[in-house]
Amino acid sequence: MNEFLRLEREAKRYKEQYPKGTRLELISMEDPQAVPPGTRGTVQFVDDIGSIHCHWDNGRSLAIIPGEDSFHMIPARSRDD
């Protein structure tokens, strides 16, 4: 399978797994302008290469790159907002 098809399949899976409004918590981010660990955010959309674009509770907007950045979904029953 070529790289484009692999990314397309991953993006489709992420779009299903993290729909708009899903709450996430960042564990770590590989970016010089990283959002601080522990910051929570709301998924805005997943783009066609699988980057998960979030609006973070601290006012930042920065995409998560699955496989490079570490995060977890906040279950609906434990959301505090």
Side-chain angles (χ1 to χ4, degrees), residues 25-40:
E25 183 172 349
L26 186 68
I27 297 169
S28 67
M29 183 177 274
E30 296 298 322
D31 188 295
Q33 302 298 319
V35 173
T39 304
R40 291 180 172 197

Side-chain angles (χ1 to χ4, degrees), residues 14-23 43-46 73:
Y14 295 142
K15 287 176 183 184
E16 292 169 358
Q17 190 172 2
Y18 304 107
K20 183 176 182 170
T22 301
R23 295 284 292 161
V43 173
Q44 298 302 300
F45 65 95
V46 177
M73 188 166 34

Side-chain angles (χ1 to χ4, degrees), residues 23-26 35-36 38-42 55-58 72 74 78-81:
R23 295 284 292 161
L24 303 175
E25 183 172 349
L26 186 68
V35 173
T39 304
R40 291 180 172 197
T42 305
H55 178 76
W56 298 98
D57 292 355
N58 67 358
H72 66 90
I74 302 169
S78 68
R79 294 179 187 169
D80 58 356
D81 45 5

